[in-house]
Amino acid sequence: MALEAGGAGMVYLDYNATAPLRPEALEATLSALRSVGNAASVHPAGQDAASRVNLARRQLAHLINCSPGEIIFTSGATEANNLALRTAYASGGVLVTTAVEHPAVLEAARAITADRPNSLVVLPVDGDGILDLEPVIAACDEGRVALVSVMLANNETGVLTDLAPVIKVAREVGALVHTDATQHVGRLPLDLNELDVDLLSLSAHKFGGPQGIGALFVRRGTALPHRPLLVGGGQERGWRAGTLNVAGIAGLGAAAEVARRGLADEAARATKLRDALEAGLRSRLPESRVNGARVPRLPGVASVTFPGVPADAVLAAMPEVAASDGSACAAGAPSPSHVLLAMGRNREEADSTVRFSLGYATTKRDVERAVDATVRAVSEVRSAMVATAEV
Ligand code: PMP
């Protein structure tokens, strides 16, 4: 798909950073922006805004199979994660999470538990990025656990977590379970009737909605002290004060609706394209390695290490391809990917890893162009490094 932003003809393979806005989401957002009304006002203009919000709540609830009343709109997954962790921690006890979480969980957990650093347990993963259950059991046995927070799909590698056994262990010790499902929602089916988590975070822009809007699911009946991050007018049943972002919420709802209808097809298509990308790279750059290749992953994500070839140089050598050399949130930060380090990669390997993430608008042609560009860029960087070494 040729996108306008960032230059015509660009191959956009950075859906895990943000997906292009779906046309239906743009339409719903614009329509709400063109109208006037605060969703809390009782007059018809206010009620028009409220009805857009209600529709979006139903659309999102339909996508993840929960009740509309279990959704709290937030500014995104970062806020939803902070709200979930902070609220659960306020009930007392330990927070348990994993070393591969997004900083919106990991750093939030560190900040929230800064008063009692012993009250945070960060669990390791194996070389495939999979969480071992034994340390989860041990952590839950050690003391009273307030919350176990484990992501459903990793943003850097796409590796999926089988949450059911984690939930079982947490339930046995009476802990709440939160999952950061930001990369999973709208990409793979998610049924909250089956997945028995108490709290779940998501962000609209990962599935084709606008940036700056997301939600926290709080299962009905979950016993939680009220600890809103934003206190004020009591919107969202007191969980999140502030005038509702009607346009963003409407866009989120429309994106959820389209994603739900196309879910199976889009997932199958993205998997096929991702596999073609990986096969193309592996056949022409045989030394390249795909992280998490042996375990279940999100459909559209390929985390590929080109040993000895710095990823930032590769990306700079192929400006026509938008991909990432780590999580976008950490982009610009000099530190290597904490996810790849946690999977046992060394610093050099982490720094030689490119994340390609594909999505609903990616075409076969995009993948072919990306493979050609990557092969050329890796070869160029390698030659430049040899030339420099010989000087
Ligand atoms: N969690 C995960 C797994 C993510 O990938 C992201 C976005 N990179 C976030 C949380 C934060 O989402 P947002 O920036 O939309 O708040």
Side-chain angles (χ1 to χ4, degrees):
M1 177 201 194
L3 293 164
E4 286 167 33
M10 167 186 59
V11 176
Y12 188 82
L13 299 184
D14 209 7
Y15 278 67
N16 279 19
T18 200
L21 195 63
R22 293 181 189 263
E24 297 84 350
L26 176 62
E27 196 39 58
T29 303
L30 287 176
S31 167
L33 282 172
R34 284 193 200 102
S35 59
V36 63
N38 182 324
S41 302
V42 292
H43 50 62
Q47 289 314 294
D48 172 66
S51 75
R52 292 173 198 268
V53 170
N54 292 340
L55 171 64
R57 222 185 274 282
R58 288 197 302 276
Q59 289 169 318
L60 177 58
H62 200 171
L63 175 66
I64 57 179
N65 200 19
C66 69
S67 143
E70 293 174 310
I71 289 166
I72 296 153
F73 286 119
T74 64
S75 62
T78 301
E79 185 187 330
N81 286 339
N82 274 267
L83 183 57
L85 267 54
R86 181 181 143 102
T87 306
Y89 187 63
S91 66
V94 173
L95 295 185
V96 176
T97 189
T98 84
V100 292
E101 298 298 313
H102 188 275
V105 165
L106 219 38
E107 292 308 316
R110 290 194 180 114
I112 288 162
T113 57
D115 59 333
R116 288 186 288 132
N118 289 343
S119 54
L120 175 62
V121 177
V122 180
L123 301 172
V125 296
D126 68 15
D128 291 318
I130 299 286
L131 182 64
D132 183 4
L133 207 56
E134 283 306 315
V136 181
I137 296 170
C140 287
D141 275 352
E142 268 167 25
R144 202 182 104 60
V145 178
L147 180 79
V148 178
S149 178
V150 179
M151 72 198 323
L152 258 188
N154 187 272
N155 47 299
E156 294 193 34
T157 59
V159 170
L160 299 171
T161 308
D162 178 12
L163 263 192
V166 176
I167 294 170
K168 187 164 174 283
V169 171
R171 291 276 172 260
E172 280 163 13
V173 295
L176 295 173
V177 181
H178 166 253
T179 189
D180 179 354
T182 307
Q183 296 289 353
H184 194 292
V185 171
R187 308 250 176 92
L188 282 175
L190 180 57
D191 183 341
L192 281 168
N193 233 344
E194 283 174 10
L195 188 74
D196 185 27
V197 293
D198 304 286
L199 301 146
L200 176 144
S201 305
L202 60 93
S203 211
H205 69 106
K206 307 293 183 181
F207 56 90
Q211 299 176 346
I213 185 73
L216 178 66
F217 156 83
V218 182
R219 191 174 294 283
R220 183 173 295 133
T222 302
L224 278 171
H226 235 67
R227 288 287 190 283
L229 291 163
L230 301 178
V231 183
Q235 288 89 344
E236 295 298 83
R237 305 188 313 286
W239 278 90
R240 206 271 185 183
T243 300
L244 291 186
N245 171 4
V246 179
I249 291 169
L252 177 154
E257 175 71 26
V258 186
R260 182 182 61 76
R261 282 199 249 113
L263 207 50
D265 288 351
E266 281 180 14
R269 222 180 59 84
T271 303
K272 230 170 120 183
L273 290 173
R274 191 268 317 274
D275 289 350
L277 176 89
E278 291 179 356
L281 291 175
R282 271 200 296 237
S283 72
R284 291 166 65 188
L285 298 168
E287 67 291 354
S288 59
R289 288 195 305 265
V290 175
N291 297 296
R294 297 187 303 184
V295 297
R297 281 180 294 153
L298 279 178
V301 187
S303 164
V304 189
T305 304
F306 305 104
V309 187
D312 54 355
V314 173
L315 293 173
M318 51 175 197
E320 71 277 30
V321 177
S324 165
D325 63 349
S327 72
C329 310
S335 53
S337 153
H338 70 285
V339 172
L340 295 172
L341 294 187
M343 289 168 67
R345 308 295 182 269
N346 61 33
R347 185 179 179 138
E348 197 197 12
E349 289 168 322
D351 287 342
S352 306
T353 301
V354 175
R355 178 190 70 185
F356 302 92
S357 47
L358 294 53
Y360 70 87
T362 308
T363 63
K364 197 162 162 261
R365 179 84 192 106
D366 287 337
V367 168
E368 288 162 0
R369 284 183 62 198
V371 170
D372 287 345
T374 308
V375 170
R376 200 200 59 236
V378 168
S379 311
E380 269 175 33
V381 174
R382 217 179 255 142
S383 308
M385 288 170 72
V386 171
T388 313
E390 282 170 355
V391 170

